[in-house]
Amino acid sequence: MAKGIEELLPKLKKNTSQADLDRIRDAYECAQKAHEGQKRRDGAPFISHPCATASIIAEMGLDTDSIVAGLLHDCIEDTELTYENIKERFGEGVALLVDGVTKLGKIPYSSKEEEQMEDLRKMFLAMAKDIRVILIKLADRLHNMRTISYLPIEKQREKALETMEIYAPIAHRLGMQKIKWELEDLSLQCLDPIGYREIVEGLEAKRSEHEMFLEHIKDKISQRLEEVGIKAKIDGRVKHIYSIYRKMYAQNKNMDEIYDVCAVRVIVDTIADCYNVLGFVHDLYKPIPGRFKDYISTPKPNMYRSLHTTVIGREGIPFEVQIRTFEMHHMAEYGIAAHWKYKAGVTKQDGSENEFAWIRQLLEGQQDTDAEDFIRTIKVDLFADEVFVFTPKGDVINLPAGATPIDFAYAIHSAVGNRMVGAKVGGRIVQLDYQLKNGDIVDILTSKETYGPKRDWLQIVKTGEARNKIKQWFKKECREENIQRGREEFERELRAALLTNAFADEEIKTAVLKRFSFNSLDEMYAGIGYGGVTTTRVLNKIREELSRYNAKQDKLDPEKLITTRKAKTESSGAIIEGVDNCLVKFARCCTPIPGDEIVGFITRGYGVSIHRKDCPNAQSSMRSETEKDRWIQVKWNDGSMSDHYMVGMQISCKSRVGLLADIAMVFSNMKINVHEMTARDLRDGYTVISLMIESTGMEQFELIANRLKRISGVITVSRSLMENR
Ligand code: MN
């Protein structure tokens, strides 16, 4: 058996069952066989890499699935083994982890400005639905960085930059200080070998000095703690190289001018002891004002907890003291990974989203955010409502989950969206309603000929930005078309809702337009046309206004007493001054026909009712205080003479047998439609016949009347006025 597994197994013996050890050995054998013949750049068999990775994962304290996945992590990418093979042999959990790690490895990377880097980091977090995928990837990267010197220089720089910009910050966010520091130092060594060597040599030169300094402090503190009976573990250390490097750059100092490179850590059993130790340290050394930080009462957003203070030691040299419990210490070193260690055996861990509810809770309790916006990142993105995709050039575009290629196109530029004719994802044409996935590379196909978005895109897009830009386009680019489309849609819906009459009322119309801030009907049609307002909303408003009017005025409205009858007469035979396209109806009481002098009454919700000027109902209403303002000038439409109108006729006659037949014959010969006919006997053998007939106007009416008068027994023929209706 190779050296790899021999190193790994002892680390596991303590907390791992025999069954788990068997699985791990099985995974090792599987990986070894799959990678057979492959070599690392340093000449070692490839299997040494997955073994080292698994070993780091084991050190983090992760579960068996993670260790197994660590051993297999390069198999899907670099060997014959498939997802299915792994699933079959090691279960779906392991297969998903390996698959996740493989996908993370495919995120294209190139150095960019900070904002882009931030999105790239978020994508990393979002892509790994299971946090263990990230931890495995970090372990993988850590081992690759440890062995980076075998890569060509150019590759080294590339990997180091990526590590510095993506992996180290992610380790920081997950609270994994130990890995973060190591990644930073390894990267720095590649990125600025001279600067790195300067610090290493500077530290080396002062090594004994530092050691003595730290020894002295440790002795002094431990002596005092022993006196008061506090058990503590005291570590002295020199800060990691990258933190010194950053300090030199930030303060523009050279190595000799950086004093506080030493730090002491006191680890105790209880939180109470932390504060006790702090008191003794401040008693022994003079604290620098403003440098005390209590991350126990207010943990850092990445869950880090400790007391920090900087004090002055011998010869005025400052040093930092960190005080924490053993549990806090483990958390500080391993961050999120510590979760497994502390919860191990309590519940079954699967790393799924629900498992991390505790992180969310923890984070939500923390209002005090660190400079690094950890809370936002974790809360919004690790449990993601967002999706991160690439342009073909490798820029990251951040969109809400469920976003489509159309959203993507408009996120780039409205001109791209407006010219879009299709989209490719990963080189393949997709439907426009395709839901983008993390890491997709999206290519928008545009055309100069077919210019403009489609109206149904409004139903597809997910972002407000895309929706607004599409609406904007329709608003601007095709006003005429919008008015036309809006009018058609509106009138159709209006008819279907039986509200045509209501909307013809000026007061209701005005109120509705005002409600939506439209200055004209055309504006409203345009609004409906481009989707700025829906017909449903307008109709609801009309209903609302209508019921308000009805409630107020119903009982007073004489028009309500008139039976409306659907007939041809509802066509717009009358023109109303200053109002076009208004519903017109002819009053049944006086049945006006062309040739009559007419007036119009604006009804509440049913258009304009036309009366004869001499109609008694009209006359009395025009005198009424509350109604006189509703009467308006109207005149006959010149082109309306061929229309038929209902008109009331009254015939007085001397009764005889066959009279009604003779009268009916006249109508029949003249092709006049008769709608109603009632005969009422008066005394002395006289009869009054009332009819409702259709006529084109006064001229025809007179013609009919003359024919009727020729019938024996007919005395008078006149228009009827039905005052009681
Ligand atoms: Mn690897």
Side-chain angles (χ1 to χ4, degrees):
M1 211 172 261
K3 183 167 150 258
I5 191 79
E6 294 302 325
E7 256 175 39
L8 175 58
L9 289 177
K11 286 185 183 161
L12 302 170
K13 290 260 159 66
K14 242 190 293 171
N15 298 318
T16 316
S17 70
Q18 188 55 45
D20 287 341
L21 286 177
D22 290 346
R23 283 186 75 207
I24 290 165
R25 208 176 260 116
D26 189 25
Y28 169 79
E29 273 155 22
C30 176
Q32 194 195 29
K33 204 168 155 221
H35 288 293
E36 188 90 73
Q38 296 175 357
K39 290 230 186 305
R40 296 276 289 172
R41 292 234 180 209
D42 60 5
F46 189 87
I47 189 68
S48 61
H49 166 63
C51 275
T53 304
S55 172
I56 295 168
I57 294 165
E59 256 174 71
M60 287 179 187
L62 293 197
D63 58 351
T64 308
D65 271 3
S66 305
I67 295 167
V68 168
L71 285 165
L72 300 168
H73 81 267
D74 278 324
C75 282
I76 291 183
E77 183 70 11
D78 296 336
T79 79
E80 306 274 273
L81 283 184
T82 63
Y83 174 88
E84 288 302 324
N85 297 149
I86 294 175
K87 183 177 160 188
E88 220 165 275
R89 185 155 166 188
F90 299 99
E92 193 175 18
V94 171
L96 284 171
L97 289 175
V98 175
D99 190 50
V101 173
T102 308
K103 281 184 181 141
L104 277 190
K106 285 186 175 157
I107 292 180
Y109 167 81
S110 61
S111 187
K112 297 181 178 71
E113 63 269 34
E114 182 50 30
E115 197 183 314
Q116 280 276 301
M117 293 316 306
E118 182 54 33
D119 277 341
L120 212 52
R121 289 192 281 264
K122 285 183 184 176
M123 173 156 66
F124 238 84
L125 295 170
M127 253 181 100
K129 291 184 197 83
D130 185 325
I131 193 124
R132 292 174 300 176
V133 168
I134 300 212
L135 302 180
I136 296 167
K137 191 71 199 162
L138 282 172
D140 174 40
R141 176 51 59 108
L142 182 58
H143 182 248
N144 281 334
M145 287 306 293
R146 283 176 183 169
T147 54
I148 198 167
S149 60
Y150 298 100
L151 283 185
I153 287 289
E154 250 328 288
K155 271 262 179 264
Q156 284 189 28
R157 278 191 59 83
E158 208 176 280
K159 290 277 164 204
L161 205 54
E162 188 183 22
T163 303
M164 200 61 118
E165 289 185 323
I166 308 271
Y167 289 86
I170 286 174
H172 173 70
R173 279 167 197 206
L174 300 179
M176 309 173 79
Q177 211 170 53
K178 207 175 152 189
I179 287 184
K180 177 204 162 200
W181 286 347
E182 194 177 347
L183 288 174
E184 283 177 346
D185 284 358
L186 290 166
S187 302
L188 180 66
Q189 197 174 358
C190 294
L191 294 171
D192 185 357
I194 297 171
Y196 181 84
R197 207 179 320 126
E198 189 193 333
I199 295 172
V200 171
E201 283 167 4
L203 290 176
E204 192 56 41
K206 291 193 175 175
R207 190 159 133 188
S208 58
E209 202 177 304
H210 288 148
E211 273 172 7
M212 275 170 58
F213 181 69
L214 285 168
E215 274 312 307
H216 187 263
I217 294 165
K218 274 165 65 179
D219 285 350
K220 201 164 161 187
I221 295 175
S222 64
Q223 197 186 334
R224 169 64 75 90
L225 293 185
E226 237 165 73
E227 282 167 26
V228 295
I230 295 177
K231 267 205 314 201
K233 182 171 179 286
I234 305 175
D235 292 328
R237 65 187 174 96
V238 170
K239 287 181 175 172
H240 79 290
I241 292 164
Y242 183 62
S243 75
I244 298 170
Y245 182 86
R246 253 198 338 224
K247 203 167 280 183
M248 283 167 61
Y249 269 76
Q251 301 173 9
N252 199 21
K253 287 178 176 164
N254 64 37
M255 190 60 202
D256 296 331
E257 295 169 301
I258 300 287
Y259 290 111
D260 50 342
V261 297
C262 290
V264 170
R265 193 176 285 143
V266 183
I267 306 171
V268 293
D269 284 328
T270 64
I271 290 177
D273 277 351
C274 291
Y275 290 97
N276 288 332
V277 169
L278 179 74
F280 294 121
V281 169
H282 281 178
D283 189 37
L284 290 169
Y285 300 98
K286 189 174 155 44
I288 296 178
R291 293 291 294 272
F292 168 65
K293 293 199 184 79
D294 184 350
Y295 296 121
I296 290 178
S297 65
T298 318
K300 279 198 190 185
N302 64 5
M303 300 174 291
Y304 177 83
R305 294 195 298 163
S306 265
L307 299 177
H308 285 194
T309 185
T310 303
V311 296
I312 309 281
R314 281 200 309 186
E315 290 150 21
I317 295 175
F319 63 97
E320 187 183 63
V321 182
Q322 299 175 348
I323 306 159
R324 55 175 76 147
T325 65
F326 285 96
E327 185 183 344
M328 290 173 196
H329 182 59
H330 192 81
M331 278 296 240
E333 301 243 290
Y334 295 103
I336 264 180
H339 171 62
W340 275 269
K341 175 147 183 166
Y342 277 88
K343 302 258 170 145
V346 179
T347 50
K348 179 101 181 67
Q349 309 299 314
D350 62 5
S352 67
E353 188 168 320
N354 281 342
E355 276 297 309
F356 291 93
W358 67 279
I359 301 179
R360 217 179 318 195
Q361 278 168 15
L362 190 96
L363 295 172
E364 273 162 4
Q366 298 175 357
Q367 296 308 316
D368 172 57
T369 64
D370 204 27
E372 309 265 356
D373 218 344
F374 181 80
I375 288 190
R376 208 188 47 198
T377 320
I378 282 289
K379 232 173 30 182
V380 179
D381 302 316
L382 187 53
F383 317 109
D385 302 324
E386 289 176 84
V387 63
F388 300 86
V389 295
F390 288 104
T391 67
K393 283 183 192 156
D395 287 337
V396 185
I397 305 289
N398 177 358
L399 295 164
T404 65
I406 305 174
D407 293 294
F408 175 88
Y410 278 100
I412 292 175
H413 199 279
S414 22
V416 176
N418 289 337
R419 287 177 199 278
M420 172 174 186
V421 289
K424 282 183 179 175
V425 169
R428 247 185 249 161
I429 298 271
V430 294
Q431 302 278 335
L432 291 186
D433 61 357
Y434 170 85
Q435 296 207 345
L436 296 174
K437 293 180 190 61
N438 277 310
D440 277 350
I441 299 172
V442 189
D443 197 356
I444 297 299
L445 309 172
T446 58
S447 156
K448 274 178 188 149
E449 278 89 60
T450 46
Y451 183 67
K454 303 283 172 294
R455 199 161 287 273
D456 60 357
W457 291 6
L458 287 170
Q459 264 74 61
I460 298 172
V461 296
K462 185 86 183 174
T463 56
E465 187 188 9
R467 192 169 294 117
N468 288 339
K469 283 177 174 173
I470 293 169
K471 282 183 185 173
Q472 205 59 38
W473 189 89
F474 280 113
K475 195 173 175 180
K476 224 169 42 198
E477 300 287 323
C478 27
R479 184 174 154 81
E480 289 311 311
E481 201 183 305
N482 283 331
I483 291 175
Q484 170 81 8
R485 191 199 321 272
R487 184 203 298 272
E488 276 167 18
E489 181 189 323
F490 178 71
E491 285 178 354
R492 188 175 57 240
E493 297 291 316
L494 195 64
R495 269 198 304 280
L498 302 175
L499 287 169
T500 311
N501 292 353
F503 194 64
D505 185 283
E506 274 305 305
E507 275 185 55
I508 290 181
K509 188 187 291 177
T510 309
V512 170
L513 291 181
K514 199 175 155 202
R515 163 70 179 74
F516 293 106
S517 313
F518 291 123
N519 291 317
S520 67
L521 255 188
D522 274 359
E523 250 182 46
M524 184 184 88
Y525 292 147
I528 292 170
Y530 77 79
V533 62
T534 63
T535 307
T536 313
R537 281 186 66 207
V538 178
L539 293 182
N540 285 340
K541 185 63 191 168
I542 295 173
R543 283 192 193 97
E544 201 180 288
E545 288 296 322
L546 178 59
S547 58
R548 185 176 302 160
Y549 272 85
N550 286 345
K552 207 161 64 186
Q553 301 266 340
D554 248 2
K555 291 159 212 145
L556 301 170
D557 191 346
E559 298 304 314
K560 283 275 175 161
L561 304 172
I562 298 169
T563 320
T564 43
R565 168 188 283 266
K566 288 240 176 207
K568 290 176 191 163
T569 50
E570 282 210 357
S571 72
S572 52
I575 293 175
I576 293 147
E577 302 276 342
V579 183
D580 48 21
N581 206 15
C582 170
L583 180 75
V584 167
K585 184 177 52 117
F586 296 92
R588 277 262 305 180
C589 54
C590 55
T591 58
I593 51 175
D596 290 332
E597 276 194 32
I598 48 174
V599 288
F601 179 81
I602 301 170
T603 66
R604 294 165 183 88
Y606 298 95
V608 172
S609 176
I610 307 298
H611 291 255
R612 278 161 59 181
K613 214 168 204 170
D614 58 359
C615 168
N617 286 332
Q619 296 273 322
S620 70
S621 171
M622 276 186 272
R623 284 192 297 271
S624 130
E625 258 325 289
T626 54
E627 291 182 3
K628 64 178 183 190
D629 291 338
R630 290 179 167 268
W631 289 94
I632 52 167
Q633 294 270 338
V634 293
K635 59 177 184 162
W636 291 103
N637 183 342
D638 290 338
S640 68
M641 290 313 183
S642 57
D643 287 339
H644 288 72
Y645 298 85
M646 294 288 235
V647 58
M649 178 181 267
Q650 191 169 300
I651 306 169
S652 313
C653 47
K654 185 126 177 67
S655 313
R656 67 169 171 88
V657 173
L659 178 66
L660 276 179
D662 289 346
I663 290 171
M665 189 61 76
V666 170
F667 288 114
S668 168
N669 287 341
M670 291 184 76
K671 299 194 166 39
I672 302 296
N673 262 330
V674 178
H675 286 264
E676 287 175 19
M677 182 148 94
T678 54
R680 185 160 42 106
D681 279 333
L682 303 174
R683 279 169 302 164
D684 307 317
Y686 287 93
T687 299
V688 173
I689 302 169
S690 296
L691 305 106
M692 190 63 83
I693 63 168
E694 272 183 41
S695 165
T696 56
M698 212 37 216
E699 254 178 66
Q700 191 192 38
F701 186 91
E702 254 147 28
L703 210 64
I704 302 165
N706 288 338
R707 291 272 180 92
L708 290 170
K709 280 180 196 161
R710 280 187 228 142
I711 297 169
S712 152
V714 170
I715 302 162
T716 63
V717 178
S718 62
R719 303 277 295 278
S720 61
L721 277 173
M722 292 171 233
E723 296 180 47
N724 296 332
R725 288 202 182 186

